[in-house]
Amino acid sequence: MTAPLRDTLGAVRTDRDVVEVAGPDAASYLQGQCSQDVEALAEGASAWTFVLQPDGKVAVWGRVTRVAPDRFVLDVDPGAGPALITRLERFKLRVDAAVTPLDWTVLAVRGPGATEIDTGDALAVDPEWPGVEGIDLLGPAPRAPAGVPAGDAADLEALRIEAGVPAMGHELTEQTIPAEAGVVERSVSFTKGCYTGQELTARIDSRGGNVPRHLRGIVVDGVEPPAPGSEVVVDGQVVGTVTTAARSAHLQAAVALAYVKRSIDPPAAAVVRGEGGERAGEVRALPLVGVPG
């Protein structure tokens, strides 16, 4: 394994779907559709947010950045852009704001010194990966700053898992309750006004955040990642399912994310069972490395 991005500065070009919402009503409209307090964002500031279905489950999770008083850019995991556009257009009645996909890409810079680089003309936003120094550069063709080498996409994925950052299509689907994914604290404002899908999130928060399962990290013996769908077994009982996994150069082991029953208090010895057989592992709280950010 090569030196991990956590310890060595590097830039990885990543696919993300980027959508612009612009017009006189852009701020007020997004305020009613996003879980985050969009109107409170200063120009150039960004925040993670859910855009929820009316029943309160996840439509998309992504980042919203205010680039001008009446212009916002939302970036989401690859493939989630059409769902975001469809969801925003669904409730856009008598609203003077256009929802437009942008042909942009993202350069993910991670490692020591990432926040001190020259970002040039790119839109620079904080990825907010717990325990990880980083910056994301958004634009039509963001360039890596001088002296920043290319990083490895597989290592970036391992870093995401170590940080406990959920991804659309893996940890987040239309069946996911926001509180299960562990990112409500940085994605939801409980002081703003009403927004679509608010009731479920507010009700769970008022009850102490109790949900049937929680997103956890799994460290698995050996370096070969378990396949998504592998079972997580504790004391002979299936308590969860792996959603994504990767090789961690930092931990010198396989790491995974999995939704695990709330009755399992980490750390807990576990067995990960899939098509390749069974391997010992441990259910851990997230992030797997560092402290919550």
Side-chain angles (χ1 to χ4, degrees), residues 52 56 178-179 184 188 190 195 197-206:
L52 301 173
V184 164
V188 175
F190 290 99
Y195 57 90
Q198 177 188 26
E199 183 179 354
L200 177 63
T201 301
R203 184 169 68 248
I204 291 174
D205 180 69
S206 69

Side-chain angles (χ1 to χ4, degrees), residues 108-145:
V109 183
R110 301 290 187 273
T115 57
E116 301 170 7
I117 65 170
D118 179 2
T119 59
D121 296 331
L123 179 63
V125 291
D126 186 352
E128 296 186 50
W129 285 16
V132 178
E133 185 175 354
I135 196 80
D136 286 344
L137 307 182
L138 282 68
R143 297 180 179 180

